[in-house]
């Protein structure tokens, strides 16, 4: 796939089902062997659709399209006030997923770069990204995108603590 074939745009309400499908597929494939199988098996499309309709703002979601089909998305936070100990962190990539059968085609890189530039143009200073410590392919991706590994912390999902590796990107 050529980079000119990938179009990045703001998400629309009509994209929610496609975004939710990609997230559920992404979790069930990328986190197999990392996240408890019971939790992965319990993930439902309807719950994710509900989250994107009622909890998350589509104003902070970009989608990647090719041949008029959504093949990936990136959801980010644009903070007015710091929410981390490092007070200079003022934005975060919360989710970035590509259809499992379309990974390693440059889609994730396009989504990341588009989001990075968008946040930089808004005057943001420091971008945070976290991923599961055992997700080696994500760690390689974030390093390739120029992230500097910082601290490690934990994330509790359904009563189980998972190690999170953090990356920081300077936007100024």
């Amino acid at each position: 796939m050529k980079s000119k074939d990938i179009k990045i745009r703001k998400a629309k309400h009509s994209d929610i089902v496609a975004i939710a499908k990609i997230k559920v597929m992404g979790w069930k494939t990328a986190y197999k062997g990392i996240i408890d199988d019971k939790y992965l098996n319990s993930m439902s499309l309807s719950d994710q659709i509900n989250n994107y309709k009622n909890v998350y703002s589509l104003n902070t979601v970009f989608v990647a399209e090719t041949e008029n089909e959504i093949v990936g998305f990136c959801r980010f936070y644009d903070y007015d006030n710091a929410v981390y100990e490092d007070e200079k962190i003022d934005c975060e990539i919360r989710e970035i997923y590509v259809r499992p059968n379309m990974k390693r085609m440059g889609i994730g890189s396009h989504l990341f770069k588009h989001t990075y530039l968008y946040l930089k143009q808004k005057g943001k200073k420091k971008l945070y990204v976290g991923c599961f410590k055992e997700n080696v392919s994500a760690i390689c991706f974030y390093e390739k995108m120029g992230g500097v590994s910082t601290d490690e912390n934990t994330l509790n999902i359904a009563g189980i603590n998972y190690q999170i590796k953090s990356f920081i990107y300077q936007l100024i």
Side-chain angles (χ1 to χ4, degrees):
M1 174 179 311
K2 296 177 185 164
S3 61
K4 67 180 176 80
D5 298 332
I6 302 167
K7 178 183 170 191
I8 308 294
R9 64 168 173 78
K10 283 270 195 170
K12 303 181 288 195
H13 186 75
S14 59
D15 300 329
I16 289 174
V17 172
I19 291 168
K21 283 181 182 177
I22 291 169
K23 180 174 179 177
V24 171
M25 285 188 302
W27 270 69
K28 289 185 177 190
T29 57
Y31 304 143
K32 183 95 174 132
I34 296 174
I35 300 294
D36 183 61
D37 284 345
K38 185 177 177 183
Y39 181 82
L40 291 176
N41 294 334
S42 74
M43 287 187 75
S44 77
L45 183 58
S46 62
D47 285 346
Q48 294 307 313
I49 290 170
N50 184 53
N51 283 342
Y52 283 95
K53 282 184 178 177
N54 301 310
V55 179
Y56 307 139
S57 168
L58 288 181
N59 291 328
T60 59
V61 179
F62 290 120
V63 295
E65 283 184 321
T66 183
E67 298 179 12
N68 294 316
E69 224 177 304
I70 295 173
V71 294
F73 75 95
C74 180
R75 183 170 67 88
F76 60 94
Y77 289 152
D78 178 356
Y79 302 118
D80 291 330
N81 300 310
V83 294
Y84 291 97
E85 287 179 23
D86 180 340
E87 293 178 7
K88 288 187 170 61
I89 294 173
D90 55 3
C91 53
E92 174 181 358
I93 289 182
R94 192 68 176 174
E95 300 178 308
I96 187 165
Y97 293 102
V98 173
R99 280 191 192 168
N101 65 330
M102 299 190 83
K103 285 186 174 184
R104 307 210 190 301
M105 296 177 143
I107 298 164
S109 295
H110 280 288
L111 280 164
F112 184 94
K113 289 173 186 174
H114 185 89
T115 305
Y116 176 97
L117 289 173
Y118 173 82
L119 292 166
K120 184 175 181 161
Q121 289 169 350
K122 287 191 74 175
K124 295 300 172 180
K125 296 174 182 71
K126 198 180 258 190
L127 171 66
Y128 169 86
V129 179
C131 67
F132 293 109
K133 185 178 177 182
E134 293 182 40
N135 190 347
V136 176
S137 63
I139 290 169
C140 290
F141 174 78
Y142 293 125
E143 287 172 344
K144 180 180 129 189
M145 298 281 80
V148 175
S149 180
T150 61
D151 59 351
E152 292 182 10
N153 48 44
T154 59
L155 175 66
N156 188 290
I157 300 174
I160 300 173
N161 286 327
Y162 297 94
Q163 292 295 115
I164 300 296
K165 188 169 180 77
S166 300
F167 292 90
I168 297 294
Y169 299 81
Q170 297 294 331
L171 301 176
I172 53 172

